[in-house]
Amino acid sequence: MATDSRTTARFSEDFLSLEEYAARTGTSYSKAVQDARANRLLVPVVRQGRRFLIPRRAYERVISGERAGDVA
């Protein structure tokens, strides 16, 4: 049985890595990359070089069900 060699270590307290996002949402990493590149994720994506970062507060707002206009 093959194991996934990627880790879900935290990049920072303020951001989720795309690997961590994929693990939390139950989607595959490759699907998350495709969606991030096409801007199809429900949260904004910050690109830092080749790395995709997701603001943790935005992710938590989406999970809690807040609408985009609810929080300034």
Side-chain angles (χ1 to χ4, degrees):
M1 176 185 256
T3 59
D4 190 12
S5 63
R6 283 188 288 279
T7 62
T8 58
R10 281 188 167 180
F11 172 75
S12 136
E13 291 295 319
D14 298 327
F15 293 95
L16 296 172
S17 67
L18 200 56
E19 294 90 350
E20 189 176 359
Y21 173 84
R24 286 180 177 216
T25 59
T27 189
S28 71
Y29 175 73
S30 61
K31 175 69 173 150
V33 169
Q34 290 174 358
D35 289 345
R37 285 183 178 153
N39 200 24
R40 290 189 302 243
L41 296 180
L42 296 174
V43 293
V45 177
V46 177
R47 188 99 188 243
Q48 183 184 26
R50 297 178 68 187
R51 185 175 203 147
F52 294 98
L53 300 172
I54 297 164
R56 190 174 299 275
R57 291 177 73 191
Y59 170 78
E60 290 170 356
R61 282 195 301 256
V62 168
I63 294 302
S64 70
E66 290 183 30
R67 294 188 314 261
D70 288 347
V71 178

